[in-house]
Amino acid sequence: MATSLLKYFRSSLKVPNRVGSHRSVCVRHSSNHFIHLCRDSPSLITQSYRLKLVTKSHIPSGRWISLAQSYSADDIVIVSTPPFAESVSEGDVRWEKSVGDFVNEDEQLGEIETDKTALPVPAPVSGYIEAFLVEDGEKVTAGQQLVRLRVSGDAQPPAPQPGTTSPTSTPPISVSPSSVSPSDVAPSSVQTELPTSMPPIPSAPKAPLSVTPTSSIKPRAAATGSPTGPSVMISGSRSEERVRMTRIRVRTAERLKTSQSLYAMLTTFNEVDMTNLIAMRKTHKESFSKKHNVNLSFMSPFIKAAAHALKDQPIVNAVIDHDSNEIVYRDYIDISVAVAAPKGLVVPVVRNVENMNYVNIEKAIADLVAKARTNTLEVDDMEGGTFTISNGGVFGSMFGTPIINLPQSAILGMHAVQDRPVAREGNVVIRPMMYLALTYDHRLIDGREAVTFLKKIKSAVEDPTILLMDL
């Protein structure tokens, strides 16, 4: 059994997950069973583990790393830039902590803002921030050293020795989220005798040191990219404040202007009667939420209707390859959903919508929106997409002409639902109506296909049974 366990120790492990005052890790044992290792004492940096076989449903959450690295109190750990996606080469760092702050393991030190998303910089161990090796707002690249941490098992700052600034001679340990290989875990890392008590605390200095209090060292506030941020108050003092645009907003602006310059954009409009959809949602939303643990919104019917229309008009799902002057037809439907995130507009992608029902779509949207609002979207969440839906109606927009999201060929704009008088069978009645706008690349999509596509969406929303009968 010991040999078998050591074999699995060399595979990927889970990051320690805090459960009360303990930490735990998991390693795969079989397809449905995992070995659960619980550390005996939370107060020490390195301890022995108790083993327990658990099922997949009892795995603590976390990301995959190796247990090859272990640390002692007062070790110096260098935190490096996390790995970037292939399409990203650099970013701007924004610190959320100050020099001298105590941070827990996995606590976010700051983030690196790239053209597409913000990458968190977590602390690999619990300890104190000794120094930032890169100033707030500076440009960084993959693998660059960012922060120097001093390992500590608790939040009590160690007393410095008189006349010294580095009480330890332990060489720095460079840590990067991708630098440790699972194969690096040796049997000795689990079987080695480990200390059972904290090292003695150095004596307090006899004379005060001439140092800057850590409480006075504050990180510079990161720019929100929005001119209506909390730091901008209209007071009538006739002063001005300049706020640097975030990388995401700069990149979004560039793409929007490129889209306007490249595409021959034309917008066609229609209106949809929301009576049946509102009635369906009112009837089933409580049971839907109770059974599937997700809310039923208007987005899933519109996304499903758009997928239905894209199957009928595949040219709207296609795109022009400008390098070869060819039309690229896709046999899959990935719909981008525009979301107003704290740092600007982001467009995460719901993939393979052609195979989804309302439940799958709502769960996918809820997950992406939650990531967008907490700035945890990854590059993979936003790459690709064959069609975009933007819902300005959530902000009360009644009418608008959306701009195509590169490198797609069309975008659907949803707007606010308002009661309006309409004619039905010779009578004027009040119905909840929504304007729809479809902006498309007229170089590729003719007016007939665009209008037919939009009418297909209108029909599927007004009568959801069309989707059931595939009409």
Side-chain angles (χ1 to χ4, degrees):
M1 181 64 178
T3 303
S4 177
L5 288 178
L6 291 176
K7 175 182 177 182
Y8 292 113
F9 286 158
R10 297 188 180 96
S11 62
S12 295
L13 299 178
K14 285 281 186 180
V15 169
N17 179 52
R18 298 180 184 275
V19 182
S21 61
H22 292 79
R23 294 181 185 174
S24 62
V25 292
C26 282
V27 60
R28 183 181 296 276
H29 180 269
S30 63
S31 58
N32 292 317
H33 288 83
F34 293 72
I35 298 171
H36 185 209
L37 299 87
C38 184
R39 200 171 69 181
D40 292 326
S41 173
S43 62
L44 302 181
I45 301 301
T46 308
Q47 286 293 328
S48 60
Y49 287 84
R50 292 179 280 108
L51 307 182
K52 180 182 179 181
L53 195 65
V54 297
T55 60
K56 188 174 182 180
S57 61
H58 292 87
I59 302 173
S61 61
R63 52 188 172 83
W64 294 103
I65 63 165
S66 169
L67 286 182
Q69 294 282 3
S70 60
Y71 310 98
S72 301
D74 285 340
D75 275 350
I76 299 297
V77 177
I78 303 298
V79 183
S80 299
T81 305
F84 292 157
E86 293 182 2
S87 59
V88 177
S89 60
E90 62 184 22
D92 296 335
V93 65
R94 305 286 182 185
W95 296 124
E96 300 176 4
K97 301 294 182 180
S98 302
V99 173
D101 285 352
F102 177 84
V103 292
N104 293 311
E105 184 177 342
D106 290 331
E107 186 174 350
Q108 187 164 314
L109 302 172
E111 63 182 16
I112 298 174
E113 187 181 90
T114 69
D115 293 343
K116 298 182 177 181
T117 187
L119 302 175
V121 181
V125 294
S126 298
Y128 289 88
I129 300 175
E130 282 217 332
F132 290 114
L133 307 181
V134 177
E135 291 294 329
D136 184 81
E138 284 189 5
K139 185 181 301 183
V140 297
T141 57
Q144 184 172 342
Q145 294 185 350
L146 302 176
V147 186
R148 187 165 67 242
L149 292 178
R150 180 177 297 279
V151 178
S152 177
D154 54 40
Q156 297 298 323
Q161 293 288 350
T164 62
T165 56
S166 297
T168 180
S169 59
T170 305
I173 304 173
S174 181
V175 175
S176 175
S178 63
S179 62
V180 182
S181 170
S183 62
D184 292 337
V185 184
S188 59
S189 65
V190 178
Q191 298 174 339
T192 303
E193 291 296 328
L194 302 172
T196 58
S197 62
M198 292 292 293
I201 298 177
S203 59
K206 297 180 180 179
L209 300 178
S210 177
V211 296
T212 302
T214 57
S215 60
S216 66
I217 306 175
K218 300 297 181 183
R220 289 177 289 179
T224 62
S226 172
T228 58
S231 63
V232 181
M233 302 295 293
I234 307 299
S235 61
S237 62
R238 303 196 63 78
S239 62
E240 295 180 351
E241 178 182 355
R242 291 178 178 266
V243 179
R244 187 172 62 176
M245 295 175 67
T246 63
R247 275 180 170 263
I248 294 177
R249 184 166 292 277
V250 170
R251 182 59 176 162
T252 300
E254 292 174 351
R255 289 173 60 86
L256 291 174
K257 289 305 299 180
T258 301
S259 177
Q260 287 183 323
S261 302
L262 179 63
Y263 290 150
M265 285 192 283
L266 183 63
T267 305
T268 184
F269 304 93
N270 213 319
E271 61 179 356
V272 57
D273 188 341
M274 299 286 288
T275 302
N276 291 334
L277 183 57
I278 291 175
M280 182 188 75
R281 181 172 179 267
K282 183 177 181 180
T283 301
H284 300 293
K285 68 176 183 179
E286 290 187 6
S287 56
F288 185 93
S289 177
K290 184 177 180 180
K291 180 175 181 179
H292 303 294
N293 198 29
V294 66
N295 293 328
L296 177 61
S297 68
F298 289 143
M299 285 302 297
S300 55
F302 273 93
I303 290 177
K304 188 64 179 176
H308 177 70
L310 288 169
K311 289 181 180 179
D312 185 70
Q313 298 293 326
I315 190 64
V316 182
N317 199 51
V319 68
I320 295 176
D321 184 344
H322 297 92
D323 294 331
S324 61
N325 290 325
E326 295 175 332
I327 299 175
V328 181
Y329 290 90
R330 279 80 72 98
D331 66 350
Y332 56 91
I333 298 174
D334 292 348
I335 294 185
S336 306
V337 180
V339 178
K343 295 194 175 182
L345 180 69
V346 293
V347 193
V349 181
V350 181
R351 305 189 189 279
N352 296 112
V353 179
E354 72 278 3
N355 299 323
M356 288 186 171
N357 55 24
Y358 286 0
V359 178
N360 303 139
I361 295 172
E362 290 291 357
K363 289 183 176 181
I365 293 174
D367 180 58
L368 293 172
V369 170
K371 287 184 176 181
R373 290 175 177 171
T374 56
N375 294 317
T376 55
L377 279 173
E378 300 178 358
V379 175
D380 291 342
D381 293 325
M382 294 183 288
E383 285 187 336
T386 62
F387 184 76
T388 296
I389 296 180
S390 176
N391 185 7
V394 296
F395 304 109
S397 173
M398 181 178 178
F399 211 77
T401 55
I403 300 175
I404 297 174
N405 179 26
L406 284 170
Q408 301 169 12
S409 298
I411 178 172
L412 176 69
M414 298 168 54
H415 299 93
V417 178
Q418 293 185 334
D419 288 340
R420 292 199 295 271
V422 295
R424 292 290 184 267
E425 299 179 356
N427 299 316
V428 177
V429 296
I430 305 298
R431 293 292 176 87
M433 306 296 293
M434 175 193 289
Y435 287 119
L436 297 179
L438 177 71
T439 300
Y440 59 97
D441 184 2
H442 206 5
R443 302 173 305 160
L444 175 65
I445 305 170
D446 294 332
R448 180 184 65 180
E449 285 78 14
V451 172
T452 302
F453 173 83
L454 193 55
K455 287 178 64 178
K456 200 80 174 178
I457 293 179
K458 169 184 168 70
S459 300
V461 171
E462 291 183 339
D463 185 5
T465 59
I466 289 179
L467 298 176
L468 297 176
M469 299 168 55
D470 195 21
L471 298 177

